[in-house]
Amino acid sequence: MAACGLFRSFSSNFSTVWPLLARSPLLSPLRLTPTAYNGRTLASSSRLSAALKFTDKHEWIRVEDNGTGTVGISNFAQEALGDVVYCGLPEVGTQLAQQDEFGALESVKAASELYSPLTGEVVEVNTLLADNPGLVNKSCYKDGWLMKMTIAKPAELDSLMDEAAYERYIHSIED
Amino acid sequence: MLGTFCVLSAGVQRAWSSSSCLFMDPSSPGLVLQSQSTDVFQNLALEDWIDAHVDLQQRSVLLLWRNRPTVVIGRHQNPWAECNLPAMRSAQVPVARRRSGGGTVYHDLGNLNLTFFASKKAYDRRRNLKVVTDALRRVRPQLDIQATDRLDILLNGHYKISGTASRLSRKSSYHHCTLLHSADRSAIAVLLRPSCPGIRSNATPSIPSPVANLSDHAPSLQWEELLEAVVQQYSSEFGLTSSSQCVDPADEALFPGVGSMEAELRSWEWTFGKTPKFSVETQLELRDERPAARCSAQLQLEVKNGRVESCRVEVPATWLPERLSASLAQALLGERFCPHRAAAALSALLRCESGPLHSRLHNLCDVLVAAMG
């Protein structure tokens, strides 16, 4: 995808408003107004997940305007997990390398480890999950986000799957 | 008793020089191991080691183990809410936090632990429990044994004889369960209650259940017979030859790195420091002897990562000046939520204060320390 290619050439110092602008040629000219980015173009779920990258452990990361990454688990993962009863999340300030264990989600099925999609530092955790862990099941791409982290090595994003690749990956493991 | 646990019919005990001999036999789709240790931290470390190092994509492993008296809490539980730490200290019963989810259990030598290791794809707790229920029904067909939706095993439709928990990691999974053969049920009743009142927490709770021992309902069922039955059933369900190997979980040559895994599981940071944030709100009853008088105070504190993050002690100003109760609260900040640490932190304050308020201050300190489990 052009947007991914453009993003690759920027270091983490640059504002990530570029990927949003880079994507605009892909949409019809009628949609170049700011309201075009309210998620109602095409199908809303695919508009949201167009910005997501996925790991083979079923975490996703979305690069935000301010350069941090928001991390959560995919719909495939939350379905496999069953009802989440507890989210064990890291402390703000924790340093993580790519693939480090950063916490665990406990569901009726098991305690499942969480693996960091990238190298960086935890800057925020979703405090709503303390009293409402079910948000991970109900809204895994939005309100059920787990944590936000800095992106120390943007090149690592290349090793992650985009949505299409992730869909193919899920189909391959389901067989 | 340890020797009895390890010797098993067809199995020949071999000295394993390296774990590659143990785990790389290509002809076998699986392996049954028995731990020689009754130390919970060594046994939990062995579980971690197998999970991290053994290739479970093509094979499965069953580990059988038991522990000297211990309380084991789930990954996201609160030890102060789940068990009576002061009583356990007196009885020298340690608490261990495992990496799997679920609730709190009491282990002793009359409880058999079974850990079923498999790839994530082959993760099937019902199949594993069927090994246990089929084994029991085979050796004692008269027993009414059923696995429930919650994956407990019940005897006579009512008494819990087994509970289950599990963990999913990178490529592998383990599912472990208890099995009550002849555990000390009175210890369960005494030890599995809160350490202190007033705990409010979103940690995962335990679901208390009435329990029974197999030996109470099938007195002739010996430990060795139970083990043998489980090994045979596992072997036939998973297609192995029916034998098991004894292993020493502290053997660093066989399990390189297991020592540091054990150290982490034994650490205060893991056992207590990993407790989800919680608060304690409770009323304190204060007393004076000469002349006899009483008073109620309020304690409110927040504990994060096992340490006191905030503390409020509200004592009527007619009983003690506010500056004293405030400095008591201040002294506890940052300390581990622990009666010994609290006593040490408060003793410095006590030394500074003499005169008529001293006995009331001393009483308040004692009551505060007692409120910390």
Side-chain angles (χ1 to χ4, degrees):
Chain A
M1 262 200 319
C4 289
L6 271 164
F7 185 68
R8 205 176 299 148
S9 62
F10 292 117
S11 77
S12 59
N13 291 334
F14 284 77
S15 161
T16 54
V17 80
W18 285 102
L20 293 173
L21 290 176
R23 263 197 293 282
S24 63
L26 299 173
L27 303 172
S28 85
L30 286 171
R31 293 182 174 133
L32 283 176
T33 56
T35 52
Y37 300 102
N38 66 359
R40 280 190 280 123
T41 57
L42 308 171
S44 58
S45 63
S46 68
R47 175 65 187 85
L48 197 62
S49 57
L52 299 178
K53 298 296 290 268
F54 293 82
T55 70
D56 64 353
K57 307 276 176 306
H58 311 287
E59 286 95 9
W60 55 261
I61 184 160
R62 180 174 59 234
V63 182
E64 307 295 353
D65 292 351
N66 60 5
T68 60
T70 303
V71 178
I73 62 164
S74 70
N75 188 54
F76 178 85
Q78 73 77 15
E79 274 183 359
L81 214 49
D83 292 338
V84 176
V85 300
Y86 191 84
C87 301
L89 297 174
E91 292 291 303
V92 168
T94 305
Q95 300 290 333
L96 297 168
Q98 192 178 33
Q99 294 186 37
D100 273 356
E101 283 178 7
F102 71 85
L105 296 181
E106 186 168 342
S107 70
V108 289
K109 256 203 173 150
S112 289
E113 296 299 327
L114 294 164
Y115 299 94
S116 184
L118 299 177
T119 301
E121 179 181 317
V122 178
V123 296
E124 202 183 330
V125 295
N126 188 350
T127 51
L128 289 180
L129 296 177
D131 290 327
N132 200 348
L135 279 174
V136 175
N137 299 111
K138 288 193 278 277
S139 179
C140 58
Y141 293 115
K142 198 163 156 279
D143 300 327
W145 62 275
L146 300 174
M147 64 148 181
K148 298 189 189 205
M149 61 187 301
T150 60
I151 301 176
K153 301 179 183 175
E156 286 175 338
L157 281 161
D158 296 344
S159 63
L160 305 181
M161 292 178 268
D162 62 20
E163 188 190 357
Y166 180 64
E167 290 291 318
R168 289 193 298 274
Y169 172 65
I170 293 176
H171 286 127
S172 75
I173 51 180
E174 272 173 338
D175 297 332
Chain B
M1 240 202 286
L2 287 175
T4 322
F5 187 47
C6 271
V7 174
L8 204 64
S9 65
V12 175
Q13 285 203 33
R14 277 170 270 193
W16 297 100
S17 56
S18 81
S19 55
S20 54
C21 303
L22 193 57
F23 292 108
M24 295 307 195
D25 177 4
S27 61
S28 176
L31 194 56
V32 179
L33 300 176
Q34 288 187 67
S35 171
Q36 290 172 345
S37 170
T38 55
D39 178 302
V40 65
F41 303 105
Q42 288 183 356
N43 286 323
L44 290 175
L46 179 57
E47 278 187 326
D48 281 351
W49 192 96
I50 294 172
D51 185 57
H53 293 108
V54 176
D55 179 3
L56 295 161
Q57 299 312 306
Q58 307 299 330
R59 59 154 30 84
S60 58
V61 176
L62 172 65
L63 175 68
L64 299 169
W65 45 297
R66 64 177 171 173
N67 298 315
R68 298 189 294 277
T70 314
V71 171
V72 181
I73 63 172
R75 174 76 175 269
H76 300 121
Q77 291 206 296
N78 181 326
W80 292 279
E82 295 295 332
C83 58
N84 189 343
L85 293 166
M88 286 162 61
R89 270 192 296 269
S90 309
Q92 296 185 310
V93 174
V95 62
R97 180 187 299 274
R98 58 181 189 265
R99 292 195 193 278
S100 55
T104 296
V105 283
Y106 172 75
H107 289 190
D108 67 17
L109 296 174
N111 167 65
L112 175 63
N113 297 306
L114 302 93
T115 309
F116 299 85
F117 295 88
S119 66
K120 279 164 92 159
K121 232 182 164 160
Y123 178 66
D124 189 341
R125 293 170 301 168
R126 287 201 178 277
R127 185 185 185 200
N128 298 335
L129 286 185
K130 192 165 174 298
V131 166
V132 180
T133 54
D134 283 353
L136 288 172
R137 288 191 198 117
R138 197 158 47 78
V139 293
R140 292 293 182 279
Q142 81 277 15
L143 289 178
D144 170 11
I145 304 278
Q146 285 294 331
T148 67
D149 288 342
R150 268 192 67 237
L151 304 178
D152 290 342
I153 299 178
L154 297 185
L155 177 61
N156 298 345
H158 178 62
Y159 296 107
K160 183 171 168 178
I161 57 168
S162 167
T164 263
S166 48
R167 180 177 185 229
L168 300 173
S169 45
R170 260 175 247 276
K171 287 194 167 70
S172 52
S173 72
Y174 65 75
H175 158 218
H176 50 202
C177 63
T178 53
L179 188 56
L180 288 174
H181 173 267
S182 49
D184 179 358
R185 291 200 296 135
S186 64
I188 296 175
V190 167
L191 300 182
L192 297 193
R193 50 179 68 198
S195 297
C196 45
I199 293 178
R200 295 207 197 156
S201 151
N202 71 338
T204 54
S206 294
I207 299 174
S209 313
V211 294
N213 282 309
L214 282 166
S215 61
D216 293 336
H217 295 256
S220 63
L221 179 62
Q222 295 299 308
W223 180 266
E224 291 73 20
E225 190 187 352
L226 177 62
L227 242 64
E228 174 89 47
V230 163
V231 173
Q232 275 190 27
Q233 196 66 38
Y234 180 82
S235 304
S236 89
E237 173 72 29
F238 285 81
L240 329 176
T241 54
S242 171
S243 74
S244 72
Q245 331 291 350
C246 271
V247 289
D248 173 10
D251 186 342
E252 195 76 21
L254 202 49
F255 308 113
V258 75
S260 70
M261 289 174 161
E262 181 195 328
E264 196 194 334
L265 288 160
R266 231 183 251 285
S267 71
W268 184 93
E269 281 70 29
W270 172 255
T271 311
F272 294 99
K274 280 287 187 207
T275 306
K277 186 169 174 178
F278 67 99
S279 63
V280 175
E281 278 180 36
T282 189
Q283 191 156 287
L284 306 170
E285 301 303 331
L286 304 176
R287 243 164 249 283
D288 216 349
E289 299 303 318
R290 284 177 291 270
R294 297 152 86 169
C295 162
S296 288
Q298 292 295 324
L299 169 66
Q300 208 264 346
L301 45 78
E302 307 260 315
V303 181
K304 190 176 168 199
N305 299 330
R307 290 181 189 271
V308 177
E309 187 184 53
S310 74
C311 180
R312 228 175 49 228
V313 181
E314 278 170 15
V315 182
T318 49
W319 186 265
L320 271 179
E322 212 199 301
R323 64 163 178 94
L324 278 181
S325 23
S327 52
L328 269 182
Q330 182 74 21
L332 292 176
L333 288 183
E335 291 291 335
R336 289 182 181 180
F337 182 69
C338 160
H340 301 123
R341 296 291 172 116
L346 296 176
S347 66
L349 250 156
L350 275 178
R351 278 195 292 276
C352 297
E353 195 69 32
S354 56
L357 291 176
H358 188 268
S359 71
R360 285 191 174 181
L361 194 61
H362 200 286
N363 171 247
L364 176 58
C365 287
D366 284 347
V367 166
L368 261 176
V369 167
M372 298 181 75

